[in-house]
Amino acid sequence: MARQAASRAKSSSSTAKKSTGGARKAAPKFSDEQIQKFYYDMLLIRRFEEKAGQIYGMGLIGGFCHLYIGQEAVVVGMKSAITDDDAVITSYRDHGHMLACGMDPKGVMAELTGREGGYSKGKGGSMHMFSKEANFYGGHGIVGACVPLGTGLAFSQKYQKSEDITLCYMGDGTVNQGQVYESFNMAELWSLPVVYVIENNEYAMGTSVKRSSAQTELYKRGDSFNVPGEQVDGMDVFAVAAAGKKAVDWVRAGKGPYILEMKTYRYRGHSMSDPAKYRSKEEVNKKRAEHDPIDHLRQIMLDKKVNTEEELKEIDRKIKAIIADAVEFAQNSPEPQPEELYTDVLA
Amino acid sequence: MPTEILMPALSPTMTEGKLARWMVKEGDTVSSGDVLAEIETDKATMEVEAVDEGKIGKILIEGDTDNVAVNTPIAVLLEEGEDDSDLDGFSPSAAPSTSSETYEKDADDSDDDAAPAPRVSVSDTPDAYDASGEIPQGTEMVKMTVREALRDAMAEEMRKDERVFIMGEEVAEYQGAYKVTQGLLDEFGGRRVIDTPITEHGFAGVGVGAAFHGLRPIVEFMTFNFAMQAIDQIVNSAAKTRYMSGGQMASPMVFRGPNGAASRVAAQHSQCYAAWYSHVPGLIVIAPHTAADAKGLLKAAIRDPNPVIFLENEILYGQSFDVPVMDDFVLPIGKAKIERPGDDVTIVSFAMGMRYALEAADKLAEENISAEVIDLRTIRPMDMETVLASVRKTNRCITVEEGWPQSGIGAEITAQIMHHAFDYLDAPVLRVSGKDVPMPYAANLEKLALPNADEVVAAAKSVCYRD
């Protein structure tokens, strides 16, 4: 009985909390340079994904292609909280994560088109891309698998007595996989330096969080393991960056894992062939009109005179040119040589 | 120049669709993300969104048009700085072939250059591997159990390489559920000998992640039956990542533990996974019989840059064999061993099956049948050269395994022999295997379910036409 009471007391003092995060208030804490980088990085992802969607329509990209449009503030804000030596891993909606990690849009786009110049030499595709150089560990196609893998990266960081930490992303669908909780348990047990970032875009393919989750407050999912969690406005890059910094500081200090639930939204269907009939057009339009992370930041930049309209247009043109180059590269890079069929199976 | 808006493919298999209706009209200004039109496919109605900003200059295909091929220009977009005059003299490109035709054409093209030959192939004149050089002449030998040999292999590699660690259930304080990790905690401490919760799926994945990041994990499963919980991480993450990453990232690690039937532990704890893992490209599968092979091959497995499935056997743990006293005894992966030379029939087996095979060879000798017994040792890559060289000599072959017959190791060997040594066979290859049932608990039924030496003898006599 005493033990039970004690454990109940512990869980009731759980650190999970809803952060109302001084989203707008946080803005002044960031320098103009940081704000411009946020804008640039988010817009790069947005334009990249729009283009990927377009060339998918032209038959240049095959198979599954999951676009990140709408969720850009999450990866861009989180990236600002880590160093280039920290590790990042995610599931299959991964193009944004790779671009945020500084991977070359050409190599990412060429992997989407299945060409030699792609990050995986054309053998991985949209869902399976990696860059050791950028400390990006994939790109994993099985829902849930990246969570133990990310926990393993953190295990290695601690084992090697490194200061580095891991950002382990997952979606709201992932959190109902058992291996997620196996990971939370081990990460807390062994105080591993990992921030679990739950990107709650409200729909696991076509199933809403309400229809799939008994506990819809996903930041509380670490309660049973004493992993602190926090809910963040994932459509606000400042709120993400601020929460990210706090979580990363916690983890880097050796206090064990931390959960951030990013409330975000994906504008497009689950994959290219998803007509998204499980939600209303009004819902999507409302999110886009009122909560778009890029429009929101753009307005702040204009209001605070960080940049002029013309300067922002110039950024837009610059990004368009980068994306156009990426597409050209991805179209012109040759298909992998037939000999590549049998390489990279074993070392 | 005005931009063409093309009929998009909305799924990997779509070749044409119905342009149901336009949501914009000529002259409308659009920005990226705006819905331009609705398209009906055989599966669903989808919206086409604008990618570029601009003005709809001309609609080329009206709404309510059926069978519009993918990539057909459906409208023209005027971008910033362009107006209707830019449409003068602009002629849209002809409707291209549908993507399915393109695909088929590509497929035809690639038919011209057939798939290249795999790098590992069987030569026309197979040579048997000579294992006699593995232990130098005159090397001192000590009797050692398989259990001790495995422990020594891990300890030696952990002394050598700081990146090597072991994790699993009861590997540390309990000293191993089967005492294979006895003493490791004392020597290497809790940082490198790690007790996990009962959480196979999770800790297998943690091991793979640690391997991606530069460590050399040894993941112990209390038995391979429990690794079924972790098989997704083993196959999808460990085995495939080197390929999927174009060679950038890999999982140099060992998954090890007892495999197959023990004694009276019934169906869920008595399964052989040799065939399961041997199916998977990207994995190495090892299943030793003797203590010396266990030691030399586990050391090799820990050093190997690939994920290795190391199948042990609970009954063999306590068996003693001669093990060479050498500073660094490492065996080559992928080489079989002729455990007993012979002329009349080849018996191919591995792990516990070797016990039945060797016992059968003794019995066959009494009847003047000389059996050559080959221990595969490594299941993948399989040393077919040694098997084929033997079959060319004996013209007969029996396979022995504890696993089930269908799609088993024997089935694979049989197919390879049929392909590469058909003309040398004087009799069909026969398989001796576990029976095609879940393992029963009752002692008599369990005995019937497992293969035994008498079954091997009967099979050998049958292919020698001596029954």
Side-chain angles (χ1 to χ4, degrees):
Chain A
M1 274 317 276
R3 224 177 104 196
Q4 257 186 23
S7 78
R8 199 170 296 132
K10 201 168 182 188
S11 74
S12 71
S13 70
S14 153
T15 33
K17 64 170 191 288
K18 214 168 188 159
S19 154
T20 46
R24 274 74 176 155
K25 273 176 281 164
K29 280 196 294 186
F30 298 91
S31 69
D32 284 3
E33 211 178 8
Q34 281 174 307
I35 292 171
Q36 282 162 345
K37 184 163 167 49
F38 287 155
Y39 183 75
Y40 180 93
D41 288 352
M42 289 200 291
L43 198 61
L44 181 76
I45 295 170
R46 174 75 53 98
R47 295 289 175 254
F48 181 96
E49 293 291 66
E50 286 168 351
K51 198 47 120 177
Q54 188 191 31
I55 69 171
Y56 186 97
M58 293 159 65
L60 284 168
I61 299 173
F64 296 123
C65 186
H66 308 90
L67 301 181
Y68 196 65
I69 298 172
Q71 302 180 212
E72 298 90 346
V74 177
V75 290
V76 170
M78 286 308 298
K79 176 62 188 172
S80 75
I82 62 171
T83 74
D84 288 344
D85 293 329
D86 293 325
V88 174
I89 190 167
T90 187
S91 194
Y92 50 77
R93 194 179 304 285
D94 56 357
H95 310 163
H97 303 70
M98 293 187 277
L99 296 176
C101 282
M103 287 166 68
D104 187 346
K106 286 183 183 161
V108 179
M109 197 67 93
E111 190 59 39
L112 297 184
T113 54
R115 305 303 175 91
E116 196 176 84
Y119 267 97
S120 297
K121 300 196 274 192
K123 296 182 187 181
S126 165
M127 300 184 286
H128 317 108
M129 262 186 266
F130 307 77
S131 170
K132 207 143 204 181
E133 206 184 359
N135 283 304
F136 180 73
Y137 288 83
H140 296 273
I142 305 295
V143 175
C146 65
V147 184
L149 295 173
T151 308
L153 299 174
F155 176 92
S156 176
Q157 287 161 333
K158 179 163 180 173
Y159 184 96
Q160 299 187 52
K161 301 181 173 115
S162 143
E163 293 287 303
D164 303 333
I165 64 123
T166 295
L167 292 188
C168 179
Y169 289 89
M170 69 195 88
D172 51 272
T174 311
V175 298
N176 294 319
Q177 286 279 19
Q179 54 183 324
V180 171
Y181 301 95
E182 299 187 26
S183 301
F184 287 176
N185 184 41
M186 283 182 280
E188 180 65 27
L189 194 63
W190 300 334
S191 290
L192 301 182
V194 53
V195 179
Y196 296 110
V197 186
I198 302 168
E199 298 192 64
N200 180 358
N201 67 19
E202 300 186 28
Y203 297 91
M205 201 168 156
T207 304
S208 68
V209 170
K210 281 188 206 73
R211 292 204 299 124
S212 64
S213 298
Q215 169 55 277
T216 56
E217 310 255 67
L218 305 182
Y219 65 98
K220 292 179 180 169
R221 290 295 186 96
D223 274 7
S224 302
F225 312 96
N226 301 323
V227 181
E230 202 170 315
Q231 193 178 67
V232 183
D233 178 358
M235 302 302 269
D236 181 329
V237 71
F238 299 121
V240 173
K245 183 173 183 330
K246 185 177 153 199
V248 168
D249 285 349
W250 170 282
V251 162
R252 215 185 290 280
K255 295 178 184 172
Y258 204 99
I259 294 170
L260 292 177
E261 178 194 1
M262 299 291 172
K263 294 282 280 181
T264 183
Y265 201 78
R266 100 173 117 70
Y267 296 173
R268 299 291 184 95
H270 163 74
S271 66
M272 292 302 298
S273 51
D274 169 19
K277 291 296 177 203
Y278 40 81
R279 58 187 187 187
S280 71
K281 196 146 180 48
E282 290 68 39
E283 179 185 306
V284 182
N285 287 343
K286 195 172 153 62
K287 282 278 181 188
R288 291 173 85 137
E290 296 172 16
H291 296 282
D292 185 77
I294 297 174
D295 287 350
H296 169 61
L297 181 63
R298 188 184 158 87
Q299 201 50 56
I300 288 176
M301 290 169 82
L302 291 173
D303 290 350
K304 295 195 174 299
K305 302 199 182 346
V306 177
N307 283 109
T308 64
E309 186 93 42
E310 189 43 47
E311 284 167 343
L312 292 181
K313 270 200 167 158
E314 183 52 37
I315 294 174
D316 212 344
R317 275 194 286 270
K318 199 174 149 196
I319 287 173
K320 256 190 167 166
I322 291 171
I323 302 302
D325 280 354
V327 171
E328 201 192 326
F329 178 78
Q331 275 182 285
N332 294 332
S333 176
E335 289 188 311
Q337 294 297 309
E339 290 68 32
E340 283 292 328
L341 181 62
Y342 286 106
T343 61
D344 305 320
V345 179
L346 293 175
Chain B
M1 195 181 121
T3 311
E4 290 174 353
I5 297 171
L6 305 178
M7 179 73 173
L10 300 169
S11 74
T13 51
M14 176 176 164
T15 57
E16 59 177 30
K18 177 181 179 182
L19 205 173
R21 62 183 178 129
W22 282 99
M23 310 299 282
V24 292
K25 55 184 189 308
E26 289 179 4
D28 281 1
T29 303
V30 296
S31 59
S32 54
D34 289 351
V35 177
L36 301 180
E38 277 184 1
I39 287 179
E40 283 173 21
T41 69
D42 51 345
K43 281 185 255 170
T45 302
M46 304 275 294
E47 289 165 345
V48 182
E49 292 176 2
V51 177
D52 299 307
E53 286 174 28
K55 195 171 88 168
I56 302 293
K58 194 167 173 52
I59 284 175
L60 301 171
I61 295 192
E62 293 303 321
D64 203 25
T65 306
D66 285 315
N67 307 326
V68 181
V70 164
N71 279 342
T72 307
I74 54 174
V76 179
L77 188 74
L78 296 170
E79 294 198 43
E80 205 177 348
E82 294 173 344
D83 58 37
D84 290 353
S85 65
D86 289 286
L87 287 170
D88 297 344
F90 175 79
S91 62
S93 44
S97 58
T98 66
S99 66
S100 89
E101 282 167 4
T102 312
Y103 177 76
E104 280 159 17
K105 200 176 89 225
D106 285 352
D108 286 347
D109 284 351
S110 60
D111 278 353
D112 294 341
D113 43 18
R119 289 192 295 181
V120 181
S121 59
V122 177
S123 71
D124 291 338
T125 51
D127 275 332
Y129 171 72
D130 180 5
S132 65
E134 289 177 349
I135 300 169
Q137 290 262 311
T139 303
E140 184 195 345
M141 303 295 275
V142 288
K143 282 267 182 234
M144 188 181 270
T145 61
V146 171
R147 172 182 287 117
E148 292 162 336
L150 292 167
R151 191 264 322 275
D152 287 358
M154 288 189 280
E156 286 176 24
E157 293 307 301
M158 288 175 78
R159 281 175 209 131
K160 237 189 234 310
D161 187 347
E162 172 80 13
R163 298 172 301 171
V164 180
F165 70 95
I166 176 157
M167 72 192 314
E169 293 153 12
E170 309 291 4
V171 299
E173 296 197 7
Y174 195 87
Q175 308 289 324
Y178 295 103
K179 299 288 176 278
V180 175
T181 52
Q182 186 129 39
L184 294 184
L185 177 64
D186 288 344
E187 183 175 351
F188 300 101
R191 174 169 163 263
R192 298 180 68 196
V193 184
I194 300 143
D195 277 328
T196 64
I198 300 172
T199 186
E200 283 86 6
H201 197 181
F203 71 70
V206 167
V208 179
F212 284 174
H213 199 260
L215 298 186
R216 295 277 179 145
I218 303 170
V219 171
E220 176 177 309
F221 293 114
M222 194 180 288
T223 97
F224 261 94
N225 298 283
F226 308 157
M228 288 278 264
Q229 303 250 17
I231 202 164
D232 171 66
Q233 290 289 2
I234 298 172
V235 175
N236 272 318
S237 302
K240 295 179 185 172
T241 295
R242 185 187 297 280
Y243 197 80
M244 295 192 302
S245 69
Q248 277 190 78
M249 212 160 279
S251 345
M253 63 189 301
V254 178
F255 298 97
R256 51 155 289 273
N259 170 62
S263 182
R264 308 288 310 280
V265 290
Q268 291 179 336
H269 286 66
S270 307
Q271 191 173 330
C272 176
Y273 290 91
W276 288 59
Y277 292 110
S278 101
H279 190 61
V280 183
L283 290 180
I284 283 173
V285 184
I286 296 172
H289 171 231
T290 69
D293 287 348
K295 182 172 182 186
L297 285 168
L298 183 54
K299 280 166 68 80
I302 293 168
R303 292 179 196 185
D304 198 87
N306 301 296
V308 179
I309 304 292
F310 199 91
L311 303 171
E312 301 160 7
N313 185 287
E314 189 190 330
I315 293 167
L316 292 175
Y317 278 150
Q319 294 277 301
S320 289
F321 296 85
D322 282 339
V323 176
V325 181
M326 286 167 66
D327 282 346
D328 194 18
F329 175 60
V330 186
L331 290 172
I333 291 171
K335 296 294 176 194
K337 182 181 183 189
I338 299 171
E339 193 64 46
R340 174 182 174 131
D343 299 313
D344 299 331
V345 57
T346 302
I347 304 177
V348 185
S349 190
F350 59 94
M352 259 306 271
M354 282 300 293
R355 180 187 278 194
Y356 314 128
L358 290 169
E359 196 184 324
D362 283 343
K363 291 185 175 182
L364 288 166
E366 289 167 15
E367 302 189 44
N368 289 321
I369 296 174
S370 162
E372 178 149 293
V373 182
I374 296 176
D375 184 352
L376 286 175
R377 304 194 291 185
T378 301
I379 310 299
R380 182 186 184 95
M382 196 180 280
D383 182 4
M384 280 311 296
E385 297 265 327
T386 297
V387 173
L388 291 168
S390 177
V391 171
R392 283 184 175 217
K393 180 176 71 175
T394 64
N395 312 114
R396 296 167 168 85
C397 187
I398 305 293
T399 66
V400 186
E401 67 189 304
E402 283 199 335
W404 292 311
Q406 179 161 338
S407 311
I409 302 301
E412 170 64 20
I413 294 169
T414 305
Q416 295 257 15
I417 291 174
M418 196 127 73
H419 184 183
H420 298 289
F422 188 73
D423 290 342
Y424 291 86
L425 286 175
D426 285 345
V429 179
L430 290 188
R431 293 173 291 166
V432 176
S433 68
K435 308 304 178 292
D436 203 13
V437 293
M439 185 64 71
Y441 167 70
N444 64 325
L445 295 183
E446 183 187 57
K447 207 170 161 200
L448 290 171
L450 287 166
N452 58 51
D454 288 341
E455 288 178 359
V456 181
V457 168
K461 286 168 76 173
S462 159
V463 297
C464 292
Y465 306 114
R466 294 274 294 271
D467 48 348

